[in-house]
Amino acid sequence: MRIYGLSGSGMDIDGMVKDLMKAANTPLNKLNQQKTSLQWKRDDYTSIYNTVKDFRNTAFNYKLDKTLSPQKVTSSNESAVVATTSGGAAAVSHTVEVAALATGATAVSSGTLTDPANSKTSIASQFSLAADTTLAFKVNGKDVTINTNQSLNEFAAALNRSGAGVQATYDSTADRMYIYSSTTGSAAKVDFTGSSDLSFITNQLKLSTSSAGTDASVKIDGQSITQSSNSFSLAGVSYTLKSTTAAGNSVTIGVSTDIDQTVDNIKSFIESYNATLKTINDKLSEVHSRSYTPLTADQRSSMSDSEITAWEKIAKTGLLNNDSILRQAVTNMRNSISNPVSGISGSYTSLSSIGITTGAYTEGGKLYLDETKLRKALQEDPSAVKNLFGTDGTTAAQDGIAQRLYDSLKGTMNQL
């Protein structure tokens, strides 16, 4: 009756209720807005975390010889010997003489197996053997069985899955069985010795009971060695033998520092460093507009999708403005770069000495490269870049640039 009376009085009861509800919801709206702001800030931290993590992975590569001291290898006769190196090999020339290549074991039928007129649907019909009979074999000591109702293709498949280290094929066009060892060298073999049905191997398949591979015989820098494979590594150089060389003839393998690749790698490092630094600096300098707060449900309901997107773009900007974690991250990165590496000798103990310097103060630590100066340093001391970036010292001051960055970026990731 009282409400009825009020409604008849001309008062805006609905408006009064809405105002009361709005006042009651104000604290909740503020809490929701704070929650949204924190979620946006968390997303910004996550984005920076991923950027830092990616650059830390890049920094790790600059602790490795293959990045800091890439080498190029030449061969005076690539048809006989080719070689590569992943770094760390002595920058000298090697002589290589190849007396013999490594071979695998081979067992091939000495002739066609059956009369082409015979049915070849099964071993029994192909060789006029009793049907549904089990044949047992040993291949390199592994047991293999086959039923005569099966085909030679199935026999080859049974050999392949036996774990004996062989690869078998029956070629119906040539009507021969081909069996090869999966490795090369004197230890490689195709050996049926000890098989219960050895006569099937020798009489029907026309295969030898046992065959073995041979080792490669090579002389490198005057020293004779044998290898089970035609591809092997010695003193940091990976060799691939492709053919024998005439007696008294040798192939010259030259190993030298690849200055062009080193320069390219340093350029790539600077590019990654600058991109990471810019991402962090941009977030630090973004201006946050306090008048643009996260929208409440009522506010969103009165706006179009494009208006909401435009509003939130501004509202999300600058949430990490002057953030203490990001400021420390920038400081750590710049200190890692600018401080000399103690404990290394020579003329090149800082990045500036090899042509890597920072720009104007307003550029926030951006790196620049004097390529001419870097090339000169590498010509005078091929280890200059390796020492500056890759040194693993006992203290932070003695660590190379890559190690310092790798450690400091981990600290930043932990804080984020």
Side-chain angles (χ1 to χ4, degrees):
M1 290 297 293
R2 290 176 182 172
I3 293 175
Y4 175 79
L6 288 173
S7 64
S9 68
M11 296 176 66
D12 184 4
I13 302 303
D14 289 342
M16 291 174 62
V17 171
K18 286 181 179 179
D19 288 341
L20 289 170
M21 291 297 295
K22 183 177 180 181
N25 283 333
T26 296
L28 179 60
N29 286 334
K30 288 183 177 180
L31 285 173
N32 282 329
Q33 287 174 311
Q34 290 173 5
K35 177 182 177 181
T36 300
S37 291
L38 288 172
Q39 288 173 331
W40 288 346
K41 191 172 184 178
R42 178 197 61 191
D43 292 342
D44 281 348
Y45 275 135
T46 300
S47 178
I48 294 294
Y49 178 93
N50 290 331
T51 297
V52 171
K53 180 182 178 182
D54 289 344
F55 182 58
R56 185 171 185 258
N57 290 336
T58 297
F60 177 82
N61 292 330
Y62 286 82
K63 297 164 58 178
L64 307 178
D65 283 350
K66 67 179 182 180
T67 306
L68 301 175
S69 298
Q71 296 174 312
K72 55 186 178 182
V73 183
T74 59
S75 171
S76 62
N77 184 0
E78 292 189 347
S79 63
V81 184
V82 294
T84 60
T85 178
S86 59
V92 298
S93 294
H94 303 280
T95 58
V96 182
E97 299 175 47
V98 185
L101 295 177
T103 64
T106 303
V108 179
S109 301
S110 59
T112 56
L113 303 185
T114 59
D115 185 335
N118 286 353
S119 169
K120 298 184 180 181
T121 57
S122 70
I123 290 173
S125 61
Q126 191 165 353
F127 298 106
S128 300
L129 299 176
D132 198 20
T133 301
T134 297
L135 301 177
F137 311 95
K138 280 190 178 294
V139 185
N140 295 342
K142 300 291 185 179
D143 292 318
V144 177
T145 59
I146 190 74
N147 189 285
T148 55
N149 287 346
Q150 295 178 283
S151 67
L152 282 180
N153 284 326
E154 290 173 301
F155 174 61
L159 293 178
N160 294 339
R161 63 174 178 264
S162 68
V166 298
Q167 184 65 42
T169 303
Y170 170 64
D171 189 300
S172 58
T173 302
D175 194 23
R176 282 176 167 84
M177 182 68 70
Y178 297 85
I179 307 176
Y180 305 97
S181 63
S182 56
T183 59
T184 59
S186 57
K189 59 184 179 179
V190 178
D191 186 7
F192 290 98
T193 303
S195 295
S196 298
D197 294 291
L198 188 59
S199 61
F200 179 79
I201 299 297
T202 57
N203 297 336
Q204 275 74 38
L205 297 185
K206 301 178 182 180
L207 297 170
S208 60
T209 58
S210 181
S211 61
T214 60
D215 289 331
S217 177
V218 60
K219 186 180 289 186
I220 297 179
D221 296 337
Q223 301 298 312
S224 296
I225 60 172
T226 58
Q227 292 288 328
S228 62
S229 171
N230 292 313
S231 296
F232 58 91
S233 296
L234 189 66
V237 179
S238 298
Y239 297 92
T240 299
L241 310 181
K242 305 180 78 174
S243 70
T244 58
T245 56
N249 290 343
S250 63
V251 178
T252 300
I253 300 296
V255 181
S256 60
T257 301
D258 192 340
I259 291 179
D260 289 336
Q261 185 60 57
T262 304
V263 171
D264 287 343
N265 290 347
I266 292 301
K267 286 180 178 178
S268 180
F269 169 81
I270 291 174
E271 183 179 329
S272 296
Y273 178 92
N274 286 341
T276 302
L277 198 64
K278 182 178 187 302
T279 298
I280 299 174
N281 280 330
D282 285 350
K283 281 296 180 183
L284 279 169
S285 61
E286 277 184 351
V287 177
H288 180 60
S289 177
R290 294 185 179 277
S291 59
Y292 281 79
T293 58
L295 297 170
T296 64
D298 286 341
Q299 290 170 331
R300 294 175 70 88
S301 66
S302 63
M303 299 170 68
S304 66
D305 289 344
S306 60
E307 288 174 332
I308 293 172
T309 299
W311 180 282
E312 290 189 342
K313 181 179 180 181
I314 299 174
K316 291 178 179 180
T317 301
L319 294 178
L320 298 184
N321 176 269
N322 201 33
D323 181 83
S324 60
I325 297 176
L326 300 194
R327 279 192 286 108
Q328 188 61 52
V330 170
T331 298
N332 291 342
M333 287 179 66
R334 298 186 65 174
N335 286 341
S336 297
I337 288 292
S338 60
N339 294 333
V341 179
S342 64
I344 59 175
S345 58
S347 303
Y348 306 106
T349 59
S350 66
L351 288 191
S352 60
S353 67
I354 64 170
I356 302 175
T357 56
T358 55
Y361 177 80
T362 54
E363 293 181 287
K366 183 178 180 180
L367 295 181
Y368 288 90
L369 173 65
D370 183 335
E371 185 175 332
T372 301
K373 194 171 182 179
L374 174 60
R375 287 182 178 275
K376 181 176 181 294
L378 289 170
Q379 289 166 355
E380 294 179 355
D381 182 2
S383 299
V385 167
K386 178 182 176 180
N387 291 339
L388 279 170
F389 279 83
T391 296
D392 187 4
T394 56
T395 66
Q398 294 175 332
D399 281 336
I401 305 303
Q403 184 64 54
R404 292 176 185 174
L405 284 169
Y406 190 74
D407 292 342
S408 69
L409 292 170
K410 178 59 176 175
T412 297
M413 291 166 61
N414 289 341
Q415 288 181 299
L416 288 170

